Amino acid sequence: HVLRWIIGVRWLAYMPLTQTGVTAFLPNLNITAATLALDSATEPIPHLVYHDKNSGEVVYARYHRSGWVKHTLAVVGPEGVRFPLLLDGEDHPHLLYYNALEGLVYATLPDPASEAWETEVVDEGAGVGLYPSMVQDSEGTLHAVYFDSILPGLKYTRLSDSGWEAPQVIESGES
């Protein structure tokens, strides 16, 4: 499967390699960041998160035979930097995004049938949570690293059963 992301062409297209034409479009005027993940189905379904610079929206979309199903998760303004997206063992999406008003925010869809997203501020403050990256270990624990421009420094945290742990400073710009 191929996801074409072309800046300036004004669309995203999902095209199964078994077909010759584009099967669906996500119209958009100004996408500044996009992340793709494929689920574990026999014929993987693409899931993506993207940032619309014009509206400031962070949008999650997944493809179905009838087209793209989209959900606006947040309005974060024009600074769409990076939005790590991963699917867990049950294909539930997890993502991180920076919001200038809140800091680093985690969003998950624990029950895709309900379409009720849960969000949590991981680390609070303007300038906190830039350039996040997220992975899941073999036991299903989420780990995140991100930049704090206020400290300034690089921080690490992980999601435990009780929520996101207090961030640890890996590297600090302070002497």
Side-chain angles (χ1 to χ4, degrees), residues 54-161:
N54 289 340
S55 67
E57 295 174 336
V58 175
V59 179
Y60 165 79
R62 70 180 179 277
Y63 185 77
H64 288 282
R65 286 176 171 59
S66 61
W68 290 96
V69 177
K70 301 183 290 183
H71 301 278
T72 298
L73 300 175
V75 177
V76 298
E79 68 286 317
V81 179
R82 179 187 239 172
F83 305 97
L85 168 69
L86 63 83
L87 302 176
D88 64 22
E90 297 177 355
D91 291 329
H92 300 157
H94 302 265
L95 67 113
L96 291 171
Y97 61 88
Y98 169 71
N99 183 331
L101 298 176
E102 296 176 290
L104 182 63
V105 179
Y106 165 71
T108 187
L109 185 60
D111 180 9
S114 75
E115 299 181 358
W117 284 84
E118 294 178 3
T119 61
E120 177 182 353
V121 175
V122 176
D123 198 351
E124 195 171 351
V128 177
L130 299 169
Y131 310 104
S133 182
M134 180 173 52
V135 297
Q136 184 177 40
D137 66 25
S138 61
E139 295 180 10
T141 302
L142 299 177
H143 301 261
V145 64
Y146 56 94
F147 183 70
D148 179 339
S149 66
I150 305 304
L151 182 59
L154 186 63
K155 290 183 172 180
Y156 164 84
T157 186
R158 69 181 184 156
L159 183 60
S160 67
D161 291 338

Side-chain angles (χ1 to χ4, degrees), residues 13-57:
Y14 169 69
M15 179 174 38
L17 292 176
T18 57
Q19 297 181 6
T20 57
V22 174
T23 59
F25 292 95
L26 271 174
N28 202 294
L29 298 177
N30 202 351
I31 296 169
T32 59
T35 303
L36 170 70
L38 295 175
D39 68 17
S40 61
T42 304
E43 289 189 31
I45 295 172
H47 300 249
L48 63 102
V49 62
Y50 64 93
H51 176 255
D52 181 331
K53 186 174 181 178
N54 289 340
S55 67
E57 295 174 336

